[in-house]
Amino acid sequence: MSRRVTVLAAAAFAAVLAGAAAPQKLGRAGQADRIFVNGRVWTGETGRPLVEALAVRGTTVLAVGTSTDIRKHSAKATDVVDLRGRFVAPGFIDSHLHLLGGSLSLEELRLDDVFAFGALAERIRHWAAAHPDAHWVTGRGWAYAAFPGALPSRAQLDAVVADRPAWLVSYDGHTGWANSMALRLASVTRETKDPPGGEVVRDEKGEPTGALKEGAMDLVGRLVPKLLPHEKERALRSGIAQAAAWGLTSVHQAGIDAEELELLVNALEAVPRLRVYVALDIERDPTPEALARQEELRRRFSGGRLRVGAVKGYVDGVVEAKTAAMFEPYPGGGTGLPNWTQEELDRAVAAYDKAGWQVMLHAIGDRGIDMALTAFERAARANGTSDRRHRVEHMEVARTTDLPRFPVAGIVASTQALFPYPNQNHLGVYVPALGPERARRAMAFKAIDDAGAVQSFGSDWPVFTAEVVRGIACAVTRTTVEGTPAGGWEPSQRLTAEAALRHFTRDAAFAEHAEKEKGTLAVGKLADFVVLSQDLLAAPPERIKDTKVLLTVLGGQETWRVKEF
Ligand SMILES: [Zn+2]
């Protein structure tokens, strides 16, 4: 009897963990609510990676195995789904994104993947014509490669938008492009001084050109009308629904403020289609009061769909703006800008480590990555901790000799599968900014795996799309969707599809301390999975990009289904 109570309690607990909307009916022992048979099911489990079928009861996986075995769990009320050979994988987990920014980007003018100025202008003109009531023309995503040898100018934008202020942000979010009216409204003139950490780009006569870098972006950006909370929440709801359609069942939110956290809680209540692991913004000097405030949030969000468990900070900047911290200078000079001294970083990381937090540090340059690793290693030594799973976010240009430090100290490499996407911007701006020696060790996914590190994949949405299939395609081919460059960029760093899948499932679950509940398909784990239109493990690499997500299941509930399925 006590055993039965325990089972019921465990199931109820799982339902709470899963944030189930309705109480789950429990069938007879062994009886499934739903079975999926005749498929190719990649479980992600080392012992038994491929099976034919799985059974779901309530929010969890009841059994995996052959179709014959799984049919034994079916009773009169059981729904039987014939997969007809289709491929099933654990639900995708994106280890690094920004849900609000990503959600808003679905509605904004997007300028991604346009590298010819004419096409770029056409897209802006088209958006402006379609939105005659918008007070500003705003958008994001333009690539530096669309402006060879220079940054964009206000004159170029004036020729496209003259009737309203216009403000367009680069794809990486580090440079803004204003037209003359926007500059005038912001009172940006030749007299304007560069704000700290920013630059008003000027022509040879000292006049602002319309390009504003980093800290100077706010001069114009602050004038752009802010969305109201309900508008942001509406965007979040469609972003969550979109994520489910991409096959995502969990995501890691990389930093959040108090307002956005509340909006996200509300949006997830309205659209319960995602589990979200949240990193709060790191405090530079974590006083006991600050830690207590964050601890309160961690307590409040310790189970259910939204879970707070980490803090996130920035060690350095990005490569294209030459702000990522490097040991050797960039071509043309400068070694980047770390945001902390090593001592400050050590102090903050040790305080969070001691209080039981996981720390996620954005670090892109080799020096920035070394600083993050050093702070993590020192914190573990000082506090005697060993399983915090601190994470280096992006981790683009590590020294080869630093890779073994990840497995030794149990540090997770949180990389982005689409970051090596070899479009014109990557090959024409990113790679030259590094120079050949460093470019060879950038986004070295295979070398990271070979060093024995846990590598978890994400998107950094809205920097890149959170479409996981596109991420897997890029990690496997290192080419664009058009197949360029032939053979792939730095092809020695290509991964197998299975490794890429693992980084988006099992390893990403590990990176949020949740590998016991999800990330693979095994008895008792959450029934989070996707059904895809083709077998990722058998598809020719160049065809992976064509894979469609047919069905997404979260805790036994459908969150996305195409009509044809
Ligand atoms: Zn990010």
mmCIF file of all heavy atoms in Angstrom, residues 25-60:
data_model
loop_
_atom_site.group_PDB
_atom_site.id
_atom_site.type_symbol
_atom_site.label_atom_id
_atom_site.label_comp_id
_atom_site.label_asym_id
_atom_site.label_seq_id
_atom_site.Cartn_x
_atom_site.Cartn_y
_atom_site.Cartn_z
ATOM 1 N N LYS A 25 -5.153 11.436 -15.546
ATOM 2 C CA LYS A 25 -5.815 10.180 -15.172
ATOM 3 C C LYS A 25 -4.771 9.077 -15.158
ATOM 4 O O LYS A 25 -3.972 8.975 -16.076
ATOM 5 C CB LYS A 25 -6.895 9.833 -16.196
ATOM 6 C CG LYS A 25 -8.215 10.534 -15.912
ATOM 7 C CD LYS A 25 -9.297 10.014 -16.833
ATOM 8 C CE LYS A 25 -9.000 10.381 -18.252
ATOM 9 N NZ LYS A 25 -10.016 10.357 -19.217
ATOM 10 N N LEU A 26 -4.824 8.264 -14.135
ATOM 11 C CA LEU A 26 -3.862 7.168 -14.074
ATOM 12 C C LEU A 26 -4.568 5.873 -14.458
ATOM 13 O O LEU A 26 -5.586 5.522 -13.891
ATOM 14 C CB LEU A 26 -3.286 7.041 -12.669
ATOM 15 C CG LEU A 26 -2.337 8.166 -12.259
ATOM 16 C CD1 LEU A 26 -1.894 7.986 -10.832
ATOM 17 C CD2 LEU A 26 -1.124 8.187 -13.173
ATOM 18 N N GLY A 27 -4.013 5.174 -15.418
ATOM 19 C CA GLY A 27 -4.617 3.920 -15.852
ATOM 20 C C GLY A 27 -4.163 2.772 -14.975
ATOM 21 O O GLY A 27 -3.481 2.977 -13.977
ATOM 22 N N ARG A 28 -4.569 1.557 -15.349
ATOM 23 C CA ARG A 28 -4.051 0.361 -14.669
ATOM 24 C C ARG A 28 -2.550 0.336 -14.821
ATOM 25 O O ARG A 28 -2.015 0.913 -15.758
ATOM 26 C CB ARG A 28 -4.605 -0.894 -15.343
ATOM 27 C CG ARG A 28 -5.939 -1.357 -14.816
ATOM 28 C CD ARG A 28 -6.158 -2.838 -15.165
ATOM 29 N NE ARG A 28 -5.456 -3.317 -16.339
ATOM 30 C CZ ARG A 28 -6.001 -3.352 -17.563
ATOM 31 N NH1 ARG A 28 -7.216 -2.909 -17.756
ATOM 32 N NH2 ARG A 28 -5.321 -3.830 -18.571
ATOM 33 N N ALA A 29 -1.881 -0.347 -13.915
ATOM 34 C CA ALA A 29 -0.427 -0.471 -14.039
ATOM 35 C C ALA A 29 -0.099 -0.994 -15.428
ATOM 36 O O ALA A 29 -0.688 -1.962 -15.901
ATOM 37 C CB ALA A 29 0.090 -1.414 -12.966
ATOM 38 N N GLY A 30 0.802 -0.336 -16.122
ATOM 39 C CA GLY A 30 1.234 -0.828 -17.424
ATOM 40 C C GLY A 30 0.393 -0.358 -18.589
ATOM 41 O O GLY A 30 0.731 -0.594 -19.733
ATOM 42 N N GLN A 31 -0.720 0.320 -18.308
ATOM 43 C CA GLN A 31 -1.589 0.740 -19.395
ATOM 44 C C GLN A 31 -1.260 2.151 -19.858
ATOM 45 O O GLN A 31 -1.202 3.071 -19.062
ATOM 46 C CB GLN A 31 -3.034 0.658 -18.905
ATOM 47 C CG GLN A 31 -4.054 1.069 -19.947
ATOM 48 C CD GLN A 31 -5.452 1.044 -19.366
ATOM 49 O OE1 GLN A 31 -5.791 0.151 -18.596
ATOM 50 N NE2 GLN A 31 -6.247 2.036 -19.714
ATOM 51 N N ALA A 32 -1.071 2.296 -21.171
ATOM 52 C CA ALA A 32 -0.638 3.595 -21.691
ATOM 53 C C ALA A 32 -1.825 4.451 -22.099
ATOM 54 O O ALA A 32 -2.872 3.938 -22.487
ATOM 55 C CB ALA A 32 0.264 3.381 -22.903
ATOM 56 N N ASP A 33 -1.660 5.757 -22.011
ATOM 57 C CA ASP A 33 -2.647 6.672 -22.589
ATOM 58 C C ASP A 33 -2.505 6.689 -24.105
ATOM 59 O O ASP A 33 -3.465 6.802 -24.843
ATOM 60 C CB ASP A 33 -2.434 8.099 -22.065
ATOM 61 C CG ASP A 33 -2.702 8.207 -20.578
ATOM 62 O OD1 ASP A 33 -3.493 7.392 -20.057
ATOM 63 O OD2 ASP A 33 -2.109 9.085 -19.934
ATOM 64 N N ARG A 34 -1.242 6.590 -24.522
ATOM 65 C CA ARG A 34 -0.980 6.721 -25.943
ATOM 66 C C ARG A 34 0.264 5.906 -26.279
ATOM 67 O O ARG A 34 1.241 5.944 -25.526
ATOM 68 C CB ARG A 34 -0.705 8.190 -26.240
ATOM 69 C CG ARG A 34 -1.127 8.609 -27.594
ATOM 70 C CD ARG A 34 -1.076 10.115 -27.692
ATOM 71 N NE ARG A 34 -1.574 10.489 -28.990
ATOM 72 C CZ ARG A 34 -1.311 11.643 -29.595
ATOM 73 N NH1 ARG A 34 -0.552 12.538 -29.004
ATOM 74 N NH2 ARG A 34 -1.797 11.897 -30.779
ATOM 75 N N ILE A 35 0.238 5.202 -27.386
ATOM 76 C CA ILE A 35 1.460 4.525 -27.826
ATOM 77 C C ILE A 35 1.796 4.965 -29.253
ATOM 78 O O ILE A 35 0.916 5.283 -30.051
ATOM 79 C CB ILE A 35 1.363 2.981 -27.739
ATOM 80 C CG1 ILE A 35 0.254 2.438 -28.643
ATOM 81 C CG2 ILE A 35 1.200 2.518 -26.298
ATOM 82 C CD1 ILE A 35 0.248 0.913 -28.725
ATOM 83 N N PHE A 36 3.075 5.001 -29.528
ATOM 84 C CA PHE A 36 3.596 5.359 -30.851
ATOM 85 C C PHE A 36 4.387 4.158 -31.342
ATOM 86 O O PHE A 36 5.371 3.784 -30.711
ATOM 87 C CB PHE A 36 4.504 6.581 -30.751
ATOM 88 C CG PHE A 36 3.790 7.834 -30.307
ATOM 89 C CD1 PHE A 36 3.473 8.041 -28.968
ATOM 90 C CD2 PHE A 36 3.427 8.801 -31.237
ATOM 91 C CE1 PHE A 36 2.812 9.200 -28.570
ATOM 92 C CE2 PHE A 36 2.773 9.958 -30.841
ATOM 93 C CZ PHE A 36 2.458 10.158 -29.510
ATOM 94 N N VAL A 37 3.933 3.550 -32.443
ATOM 95 C CA VAL A 37 4.573 2.314 -32.913
ATOM 96 C C VAL A 37 5.079 2.468 -34.347
ATOM 97 O O VAL A 37 4.737 3.438 -35.044
ATOM 98 C CB VAL A 37 3.594 1.115 -32.829
ATOM 99 C CG1 VAL A 37 3.245 0.810 -31.371
ATOM 100 C CG2 VAL A 37 2.335 1.388 -33.641
ATOM 101 N N ASN A 38 5.910 1.520 -34.755
ATOM 102 C CA ASN A 38 6.442 1.466 -36.128
ATOM 103 C C ASN A 38 7.245 2.699 -36.534
ATOM 104 O O ASN A 38 7.154 3.179 -37.656
ATOM 105 C CB ASN A 38 5.302 1.265 -37.164
ATOM 106 C CG ASN A 38 4.528 -0.006 -36.897
ATOM 107 O OD1 ASN A 38 5.104 -0.994 -36.410
ATOM 108 N ND2 ASN A 38 3.242 0.008 -37.175
ATOM 109 N N GLY A 39 8.028 3.192 -35.611
ATOM 110 C CA GLY A 39 8.869 4.341 -35.947
ATOM 111 C C GLY A 39 10.333 4.001 -35.830
ATOM 112 O O GLY A 39 10.725 2.837 -35.668
ATOM 113 N N ARG A 40 11.146 5.027 -35.994
ATOM 114 C CA ARG A 40 12.565 4.931 -35.658
ATOM 115 C C ARG A 40 12.762 5.937 -34.546
ATOM 116 O O ARG A 40 12.730 7.145 -34.780
ATOM 117 C CB ARG A 40 13.419 5.293 -36.862
ATOM 118 C CG ARG A 40 14.197 4.129 -37.430
ATOM 119 C CD ARG A 40 14.850 4.514 -38.723
ATOM 120 N NE ARG A 40 16.203 5.071 -38.535
ATOM 121 C CZ ARG A 40 17.281 4.339 -38.221
ATOM 122 N NH1 ARG A 40 17.179 3.045 -38.028
ATOM 123 N NH2 ARG A 40 18.459 4.908 -38.110
ATOM 124 N N VAL A 41 12.903 5.440 -33.334
ATOM 125 C CA VAL A 41 12.933 6.309 -32.167
ATOM 126 C C VAL A 41 14.360 6.387 -31.650
ATOM 127 O O VAL A 41 14.913 5.378 -31.189
ATOM 128 C CB VAL A 41 11.993 5.768 -31.059
ATOM 129 C CG1 VAL A 41 12.032 6.698 -29.842
ATOM 130 C CG2 VAL A 41 10.571 5.605 -31.580
ATOM 131 N N TRP A 42 14.968 7.558 -31.776
ATOM 132 C CA TRP A 42 16.304 7.771 -31.207
ATOM 133 C C TRP A 42 16.095 8.209 -29.769
ATOM 134 O O TRP A 42 15.584 9.302 -29.517
ATOM 135 C CB TRP A 42 17.071 8.826 -31.996
ATOM 136 C CG TRP A 42 18.480 9.025 -31.499
ATOM 137 C CD1 TRP A 42 19.542 8.180 -31.707
ATOM 138 C CD2 TRP A 42 18.968 10.117 -30.712
ATOM 139 N NE1 TRP A 42 20.663 8.688 -31.082
ATOM 140 C CE2 TRP A 42 20.353 9.868 -30.460
ATOM 141 C CE3 TRP A 42 18.395 11.268 -30.180
ATOM 142 C CZ2 TRP A 42 21.149 10.733 -29.716
ATOM 143 C CZ3 TRP A 42 19.181 12.133 -29.431
ATOM 144 C CH2 TRP A 42 20.552 11.864 -29.208
ATOM 145 N N THR A 43 16.493 7.346 -28.831
ATOM 146 C CA THR A 43 16.208 7.631 -27.421
ATOM 147 C C THR A 43 17.244 8.554 -26.803
ATOM 148 O O THR A 43 16.979 9.196 -25.793
ATOM 149 C CB THR A 43 16.209 6.337 -26.591
ATOM 150 O OG1 THR A 43 17.543 5.783 -26.604
ATOM 151 C CG2 THR A 43 15.221 5.320 -27.141
ATOM 152 N N GLY A 44 18.451 8.569 -27.382
ATOM 153 C CA GLY A 44 19.543 9.326 -26.768
ATOM 154 C C GLY A 44 20.226 8.570 -25.642
ATOM 155 O O GLY A 44 21.208 9.060 -25.079
ATOM 156 N N GLU A 45 19.710 7.388 -25.307
ATOM 157 C CA GLU A 45 20.308 6.584 -24.234
ATOM 158 C C GLU A 45 21.459 5.771 -24.808
ATOM 159 O O GLU A 45 21.339 5.180 -25.892
ATOM 160 C CB GLU A 45 19.262 5.635 -23.644
ATOM 161 C CG GLU A 45 18.177 6.330 -22.838
ATOM 162 C CD GLU A 45 18.653 6.709 -21.444
ATOM 163 O OE1 GLU A 45 19.331 5.878 -20.810
ATOM 164 O OE2 GLU A 45 18.349 7.831 -20.992
ATOM 165 N N THR A 46 22.559 5.723 -24.084
ATOM 166 C CA THR A 46 23.746 5.036 -24.587
ATOM 167 C C THR A 46 23.486 3.539 -24.818
ATOM 168 O O THR A 46 23.851 2.994 -25.852
ATOM 169 C CB THR A 46 24.914 5.205 -23.595
ATOM 170 O OG1 THR A 46 24.916 6.565 -23.171
ATOM 171 C CG2 THR A 46 26.233 4.867 -24.236
ATOM 172 N N GLY A 47 22.829 2.901 -23.875
ATOM 173 C CA GLY A 47 22.640 1.447 -23.972
ATOM 174 C C GLY A 47 21.727 1.033 -25.107
ATOM 175 O O GLY A 47 21.929 -0.006 -25.735
ATOM 176 N N ARG A 48 20.719 1.832 -25.381
ATOM 177 C CA ARG A 48 19.714 1.447 -26.365
ATOM 178 C C ARG A 48 19.280 2.683 -27.156
ATOM 179 O O ARG A 48 18.194 3.211 -26.969
ATOM 180 C CB ARG A 48 18.514 0.858 -25.607
ATOM 181 C CG ARG A 48 17.683 -0.075 -26.419
ATOM 182 C CD ARG A 48 16.521 -0.566 -25.572
ATOM 183 N NE ARG A 48 15.776 -1.579 -26.277
ATOM 184 C CZ ARG A 48 14.593 -2.033 -25.884
ATOM 185 N NH1 ARG A 48 14.047 -1.572 -24.775
ATOM 186 N NH2 ARG A 48 13.964 -2.958 -26.583
ATOM 187 N N PRO A 49 20.137 3.124 -28.076
ATOM 188 C CA PRO A 49 19.859 4.401 -28.748
ATOM 189 C C PRO A 49 18.677 4.357 -29.719
ATOM 190 O O PRO A 49 18.030 5.373 -29.921
ATOM 191 C CB PRO A 49 21.158 4.729 -29.474
ATOM 192 C CG PRO A 49 21.879 3.438 -29.587
ATOM 193 C CD PRO A 49 21.458 2.589 -28.438
ATOM 194 N N LEU A 50 18.405 3.208 -30.327
ATOM 195 C CA LEU A 50 17.334 3.162 -31.326
ATOM 196 C C LEU A 50 16.311 2.092 -30.990
ATOM 197 O O LEU A 50 16.662 0.924 -30.783
ATOM 198 C CB LEU A 50 17.919 2.886 -32.715
ATOM 199 C CG LEU A 50 18.538 4.079 -33.432
ATOM 200 C CD1 LEU A 50 19.303 3.623 -34.662
ATOM 201 C CD2 LEU A 50 17.475 5.115 -33.828
ATOM 202 N N VAL A 51 15.049 2.477 -30.925
ATOM 203 C CA VAL A 51 13.950 1.526 -30.734
ATOM 204 C C VAL A 51 12.865 1.851 -31.760
ATOM 205 O O VAL A 51 13.011 2.792 -32.544
ATOM 206 C CB VAL A 51 13.373 1.607 -29.290
ATOM 207 C CG1 VAL A 51 14.409 1.178 -28.258
ATOM 208 C CG2 VAL A 51 12.860 3.012 -28.985
ATOM 209 N N GLU A 52 11.796 1.052 -31.727
ATOM 210 C CA GLU A 52 10.724 1.266 -32.717
ATOM 211 C C GLU A 52 9.538 2.049 -32.168
ATOM 212 O O GLU A 52 8.767 2.625 -32.926
ATOM 213 C CB GLU A 52 10.152 -0.094 -33.162
ATOM 214 C CG GLU A 52 11.043 -0.915 -34.035
ATOM 215 C CD GLU A 52 10.415 -2.286 -34.288
ATOM 216 O OE1 GLU A 52 9.493 -2.701 -33.558
ATOM 217 O OE2 GLU A 52 10.877 -2.937 -35.232
ATOM 218 N N ALA A 53 9.396 2.007 -30.848
ATOM 219 C CA ALA A 53 8.111 2.478 -30.315
ATOM 220 C C ALA A 53 8.260 2.992 -28.897
ATOM 221 O O ALA A 53 9.240 2.686 -28.210
ATOM 222 C CB ALA A 53 7.115 1.313 -30.339
ATOM 223 N N LEU A 54 7.270 3.801 -28.484
ATOM 224 C CA LEU A 54 7.244 4.215 -27.085
ATOM 225 C C LEU A 54 5.809 4.368 -26.600
ATOM 226 O O LEU A 54 4.882 4.579 -27.395
ATOM 227 C CB LEU A 54 8.057 5.488 -26.838
ATOM 228 C CG LEU A 54 7.436 6.848 -27.088
ATOM 229 C CD1 LEU A 54 8.204 7.898 -26.290
ATOM 230 C CD2 LEU A 54 7.505 7.188 -28.555
ATOM 231 N N ALA A 55 5.655 4.221 -25.282
ATOM 232 C CA ALA A 55 4.339 4.354 -24.653
ATOM 233 C C ALA A 55 4.398 5.504 -23.669
ATOM 234 O O ALA A 55 5.403 5.715 -22.999
ATOM 235 C CB ALA A 55 3.980 3.056 -23.926
ATOM 236 N N VAL A 56 3.294 6.256 -23.618
ATOM 237 C CA VAL A 56 3.216 7.429 -22.743
ATOM 238 C C VAL A 56 2.055 7.240 -21.777
ATOM 239 O O VAL A 56 0.966 6.804 -22.174
ATOM 240 C CB VAL A 56 2.971 8.705 -23.584
ATOM 241 C CG1 VAL A 56 2.747 9.915 -22.682
ATOM 242 C CG2 VAL A 56 4.127 8.951 -24.539
ATOM 243 N N ARG A 57 2.299 7.526 -20.511
ATOM 244 C CA ARG A 57 1.186 7.585 -19.565
ATOM 245 C C ARG A 57 1.319 8.852 -18.746
ATOM 246 O O ARG A 57 2.377 9.114 -18.163
ATOM 247 C CB ARG A 57 1.168 6.373 -18.643
ATOM 248 C CG ARG A 57 -0.098 6.404 -17.763
ATOM 249 C CD ARG A 57 -0.330 5.156 -17.009
ATOM 250 N NE ARG A 57 0.695 4.953 -16.014
ATOM 251 C CZ ARG A 57 0.824 3.823 -15.314
ATOM 252 N NH1 ARG A 57 0.016 2.812 -15.558
ATOM 253 N NH2 ARG A 57 1.763 3.714 -14.424
ATOM 254 N N GLY A 58 0.247 9.618 -18.708
ATOM 255 C CA GLY A 58 0.320 10.897 -18.005
ATOM 256 C C GLY A 58 1.360 11.771 -18.663
ATOM 257 O O GLY A 58 1.359 11.959 -19.881
ATOM 258 N N THR A 59 2.271 12.251 -17.865
ATOM 259 C CA THR A 59 3.267 13.188 -18.399
ATOM 260 C C THR A 59 4.585 12.514 -18.738
ATOM 261 O O THR A 59 5.518 13.178 -19.179
ATOM 262 C CB THR A 59 3.563 14.283 -17.355
ATOM 263 O OG1 THR A 59 4.035 13.641 -16.174
ATOM 264 C CG2 THR A 59 2.319 15.087 -17.032
ATOM 265 N N THR A 60 4.665 11.197 -18.498
ATOM 266 C CA THR A 60 5.974 10.555 -18.622
ATOM 267 C C THR A 60 5.992 9.380 -19.599
ATOM 268 O O THR A 60 4.943 8.913 -20.058
ATOM 269 C CB THR A 60 6.466 10.052 -17.246
ATOM 270 O OG1 THR A 60 5.490 9.172 -16.711
ATOM 271 C CG2 THR A 60 6.692 11.211 -16.284
#
